Amino acid sequence: MAAMPPGWSELFEAATRIKGTHLRTLLQDEARNNSMFLTAGSLTLDYCRQKVDADIMAKLFKLAELSGVEAKKQKMFAGEKINETEGRPVLHVALRAPRDAVINVDGSNVVPEVWKVLDAMKAFSDKVRSGEWKGYTGKPLTDVVCIGIGGSYLGVEFVFEALKTDPEAEAAAKGRRLRFLANVDPIDVKRALEGLSAETTLVVVISKTFTTAETMLNAKTVKEWLVEGLGTADCIPKHVVACSTALEKTKAFGIDPANVFGFWDWVGGRFSCWSAVGVLALSLQYGFGVVQKFLEGGNAMDKHFQTAPLNENLPLIMGMLAVWNCSVLGHEGVAVLPYCQALTRFVPHIQQLDMESNGKRVQMDGTAVPVGTGAIYFGEPGTNGQHSFYQLMHQGRKIPAEFIGFSASQNPIDLPGEPVANHDELMSNFFAQPDALALGKTAEELKAENVPEKLIPHKTFTGDRPSLSLLLPVCDAGYLGQLLSMYEHRTAVQGWVWGINSFDQWGVELGKVLAKEVRSFLSDGRKGAGNDSKFISPTKALLKKYLE
Ligand code: F6P
């Protein structure tokens, strides 16, 4: 292992010390627990079930300082080109800045540009929603199909799903449908278009580069579906719009430049749902007013991240704990566990956000990071996950968990005769699981309960499994904005400590290049002229089998 940069060795030493102290013991210290119970606005973070104490937190804050987290954060907010491998600023925060904010890139304020596109999306979505904008045959466009993948899909779908049962958003979406077509699998085309009529469908092609193979093929496929359904290619200007930074390419695809909603190279794919990527589709579905609350929520968390001191800064603390668990304690996974069915697509989005950002092993200067980086993210809404993978979390591997819960439900139900309302039933689990993981159950406790001797090893829970709990008031647009912005900053903090570039994604390229070679082989192969000399023999054999 390479020499440790300043601040790390102290943490590895502290880890050796704290490993011997069970969470059961740590949790007896009330002063410690209270110091780890934090609020920011209406958000609460309780991290007392992490394997840390005041000394370790001080060392983690010191590491943040030594790694230049504060300076890097300021550079990000100031529009400096911190994405060095691509020579770009990282300014998703500008997408949710208020109209009067000033954020300069190369000497010019980008905020008015952001608001110009927001205003255009508001005007367009209002027209579509009111029926003023009509389809080719004169019918209002009640259905929207978004075509995009990765960062041009996951965040939008997460917010769409999360607001589907929010009373305000639900009322605003009455009579409207929003679908997503992401996978290049033709099965996804069938699923996305099922039951839709070309006459009433608006297609939104979402692609930053407008070159992504999956999106381009799906866009062509759905274009064909529209032309077939409406009998003429003249329908396209009324039925297809785009969200992209590549205006020349959208034009070449046949999309009216007036119907292209732009964004900028300083918006990274996985941070882009605050741009046209998410705002257009979500405004079409829920109205711009709801989306604006989401943007404002994101901005409120930005302000907290910018101004709160280290020991009160929620995203900073979450980022440093993620570093501690991954790099120092050696935990390879993170379970994200929302106790809210509306967050059904939150984890896939966080998976891309964190794993595409931090799944890297070299620092900005190309040298290897001397500690382990980037965890494996997975999860499911509770309580469903409890009946699936929690077994492994309780008695198998130690996986740091992040519990997310809401004080109130989007859909309160209180059945007469039941001891608690349905949301309280859900939340009973949200409160119980972190304690079960941390405290476990000892052989002595089992013996006292007269558990047969031979079952004791099977029924023992070793505990000492770290988690943190986040409690928010309710799953609405504003709090969703805060939650997502918090996870984005949490992701950036880790990257800054590791010295990696969390804002590029070269690791997705090699597979794309190889797929290109296979594609051209298959194209020739179907005509009986495929040349497989480029492939290794196992690949040749499998390709041969496939073509048979
Ligand atoms: O998976 C790689 C990736 O480049 C993501 O980072 C990006 O969000 C996605 O593909 C889609 O890219 P685009 O918006 O250019 O179609």
Side-chain angles (χ1 to χ4, degrees), residues 365-435:
D365 65 4
T367 58
V369 187
V371 295
T373 52
I376 303 155
Y377 282 72
F378 72 100
E380 268 292 317
T383 61
N384 292 9
Q386 291 176 199
H387 300 272
S388 166
F389 52 83
Y390 277 39
Q391 166 66 43
L392 179 138
M393 294 177 60
H394 282 292
Q395 288 188 314
R397 291 174 188 277
K398 279 191 183 172
I399 299 170
E402 304 197 347
F403 290 89
I404 302 167
F406 295 90
S407 298
S409 175
Q410 286 180 342
N411 183 39
I413 298 177
D414 198 352
L415 273 192
E418 288 298 320
V420 291
N422 297 31
H423 184 69
D424 285 345
E425 174 64 27
L426 167 77
M427 292 299 282
S428 304
N429 293 277
F430 167 85
F431 293 109
Q433 290 291 336
D435 280 348

Side-chain angles (χ1 to χ4, degrees), residues 283-321:
S283 299
L284 285 162
Q285 183 67 5
Y286 296 129
F288 184 79
V290 168
V291 180
Q292 196 166 356
K293 288 180 186 167
F294 173 68
L295 298 176
E296 285 164 1
N299 180 254
M301 182 52 66
D302 294 342
K303 285 191 182 127
H304 167 79
F305 182 52
Q306 270 184 293
T307 55
L310 294 184
N311 61 352
E312 291 169 23
N313 195 310
L314 268 48
L316 182 286
I317 291 171
M318 288 179 70
M320 295 312 295
L321 290 171

